[in-house]
Amino acid sequence: MTIRVVVADDQELVRSGFAMILDAQPDIEVVAEAGDGTEAVEAVRRHSPDVALLDIRMPRTDGIEACRTICAESGCRTVMLTTFDTDAYVYEALHAGASGFLLKDVRRDDLVHAVRVVAAGDSLLAPSVARRLVEQYTAGGPRRTAPGPDPRLDVLTARERETLLLLARGLSNAEIAGELVVSDHTVKTHVGNVLAKLGLRDRIQAVICAYETGLVAAGTPRG
């Protein structure tokens, strides 16, 4: 099955470079390139790709607005491109529906791997990176202040809640399995149940949920 991709960046050399790398893969086809967010949205509507790479900062419509529109209108998954790993728009982009982030100086193999991972329905960021980014930006984002347990978590079993906590601490599935003394398959089941019960798309959203519900606080050390 071929992964169909739209690449959007206002810098032509960056855009064409990414497109060439991806198009050279036997299982990936770049169906369109776009120079701004407006063109990216139009390209997604026209070509129905599996993945859209979106520069965060583009003229006319920026990457975040394009991401929000694309995620609302289609099943296309979005990956944000940024020059800085401390970009102030990371948190906003995650809430717009982004499945992850890539720095523009990403290595060739990592770019290809990222597209394949996201196309398969997983989040792009490694768990530890997701924890670091979300912890940084939830400090300035919406946080729950009401006392007591968040009722959204009531649908989870005790083991599923523990799994969510470990996700937010940045542990991989293998590390969670070690913490809970269960198999990797069991962890995948728990993670899947957490996502389904809370209506979350991927583990990045699970990390955000853990912070917003107060299950874990910013600054919680990695296990």
Side-chain angles (χ1 to χ4, degrees):
M1 178 179 175
T2 300
I3 302 170
R4 295 162 55 80
V5 180
V6 166
V7 179
D9 195 299
D10 60 328
Q11 297 180 340
E12 184 178 359
L13 287 178
V14 173
R15 185 174 72 242
S16 60
F18 280 5
M20 288 177 61
I21 291 171
L22 295 173
D23 243 350
Q25 306 305 311
D27 59 335
I28 299 175
E29 177 188 5
V30 176
V31 294
E33 296 181 32
D36 59 47
T38 300
E39 291 181 2
V41 171
E42 293 172 351
V44 170
R45 289 170 176 164
R46 186 179 312 117
H47 297 283
S48 300
D50 303 296
V51 178
L53 298 182
L54 305 173
D55 184 17
I56 283 184
R57 302 177 183 182
M58 292 187 289
R60 292 207 287 173
T61 303
D62 65 26
I64 293 174
E65 285 304 314
C67 172
R68 185 173 290 112
T69 300
I70 289 170
C71 291
E73 293 185 355
S74 71
C76 176
R77 296 172 64 81
T78 58
V79 177
M80 310 308 293
L81 301 170
T82 180
T83 305
F84 308 104
D85 60 359
T86 56
D87 197 303
Y89 298 107
V90 167
Y91 183 76
E92 187 178 352
L94 288 174
H95 272 273
S99 294
F101 289 80
L102 282 177
L103 295 179
K104 288 188 178 180
D105 61 357
V106 63
R107 296 188 309 118
R108 177 190 304 260
D109 290 347
D110 289 340
L111 171 66
V112 174
H113 174 71
V115 168
R116 289 172 177 155
V117 166
V118 170
D122 205 348
S123 55
L124 170 63
L125 300 178
S128 59
V129 178
R131 182 200 59 80
R132 176 176 61 83
L133 285 174
V134 176
E135 179 176 317
Q136 179 176 357
Y137 290 101
T138 47
R143 297 295 304 281
R144 184 174 182 273
T145 58
D150 190 302
R152 283 180 288 176
L153 301 181
D154 290 347
V155 296
L156 302 180
T157 65
R159 182 46 60 94
E160 289 164 356
R161 188 177 297 215
E162 191 174 5
T163 299
L164 177 58
L165 176 62
L166 295 174
L167 282 174
R169 286 169 51 194
L171 274 64
S172 67
N173 281 2
E175 291 170 328
I176 293 173
E179 287 278 335
L180 301 182
V181 195
V182 297
S183 68
D184 287 356
H185 176 74
T186 299
V187 172
K188 289 180 181 178
T189 299
H190 289 328
V191 172
N193 289 342
V194 168
L195 299 183
K197 289 183 177 182
L198 296 177
L200 305 173
R201 186 183 61 254
D202 53 37
R203 63 193 300 148
I204 289 181
Q205 286 196 338
V207 175
I208 293 174
C209 179
Y211 279 90
E212 290 185 346
T213 58
L215 181 64
V216 62
T220 298
R222 186 182 186 278

